[in-house]
Amino acid sequence: MAGIYIHIPFCKQACHYCDFHFSTNQQRKTDMVRAIARELELQQPYLTEQIITSIYFGGGTPSLLDEAELQMLLNTVYKLYPISSDPEITLEANPDDLSPEKLKILKQLGFNRLSIGIQSFHEPHLRYLNRVHSAKEAEQCVQQAQEAGFNNLSIDLIYAVPHPDHSVWQADLANVVALNPEHISAYCLTIEEKTVFGQWLRHQKIPPIDETFAAEQFGQLVDTLTANGYEQYEVSSFCQPSWESKHNSNYWKDVRYLGVGPGAHSFNGNSRQYNVANNGKYLRALAKDQVPYEQEELNKADRINEYLMTGLRTKWGCDLAWLKQKLDYDLLATQGSYIEHLIHEKKATLENQQLVLTRAGKLLADGITAALFVGSE
């Protein structure tokens, strides 16, 4: 099995925290869709003999595409690639794009999952983050999607937004639970260097992220969603029983995927490809039937580190027997004392060769993973 990721590099405006590749100039949107369709043709051999189980439209803001543009890309995928009988077809969407008419079109086109970038239900926080939609639209679009027949909805939230107390975050959690989506992704606000927030931080216009404040909100997140029937199956991902994201789970389970569009990444088991993150360069290359990417061959250490980095963020953890069998690496032999320390500190468990981080460990997942990394061999 494998997945296809389609990156749509356009947004109405720039969110202050976002460092993904996008442009607010949509003049060449249709040209871009045609170029991506052409890349899907040129990249067809990349996933040889793989059945596609997930198709994910990300960005940017793919909900900006009109019916004809979405239809073109879906038709191209179905024409060129073997698709499973029940694929997960996801569209990332902003609330202000999800009118009842647009929802009806998406349903007719075959989308069966929406990932809605709400981030907050609090108007001042939305303005601080520079989101386009209003708090009213945030709630209304979910209800309208449910009425339109979408029974696999994911809502994105952001925590650790500066505030004197936790009242706004607690209200956001109450609101999302009341809407009862099948899936919730919650991300800690980070300040990236090349964003508006990064610039403001350099000029001391905003405070740095308060790590204690963020940790407290992470705890409230886990407590609230767990108490309401959601399972934390990855550090930032929560779902009702059996509603894990197939596409994201494939990333974490070392499954192959093809990424198309400027800035998209691909993985075929042995190497990674990185498309150029520049709309103009991408369009010029595809006009010549060339895919503008850089390729990185993965050595043994790379494969081990990627498996640790992705696996330890999930409820499944890392299979140490698989590591030894497939990658010829004995983690217990090299990191046994550190793993014992993690278990003693109740930051990890080890049962049946499965190393799994506890709730306390997940809060420190990045640091723990880095400590377990191996150097190039």
Side-chain angles (χ1 to χ4, degrees), residues 38-47 81 258-260 266 273 275 291 293:
R38 181 58 179 148
E39 186 189 353
L40 283 164
E41 295 180 36
L42 296 171
Q43 294 276 46
Q44 186 181 12
Y46 192 80
L47 296 176
Y81 297 84
L258 169 66
V260 295
S266 303
Q273 290 182 185
N275 281 4
V291 180
Y293 66 83

Side-chain angles (χ1 to χ4, degrees), residues 306-320:
E306 288 207 5
Y307 181 70
L308 293 171
M309 181 174 62
T310 55
L312 286 177
R313 292 181 61 87
T314 72
K315 70 175 182 179
W316 305 287
C318 288
D319 185 340
L320 303 193

Side-chain angles (χ1 to χ4, degrees), residues 176 180-184 225-226 228-232 238-240:
V176 77
N180 197 35
E182 288 73 23
H183 189 280
I184 298 167
L225 296 189
T226 301
N228 284 276
Y230 289 87
E231 179 183 21
Q232 184 185 24
F238 301 77
C239 68
Q240 295 179 1

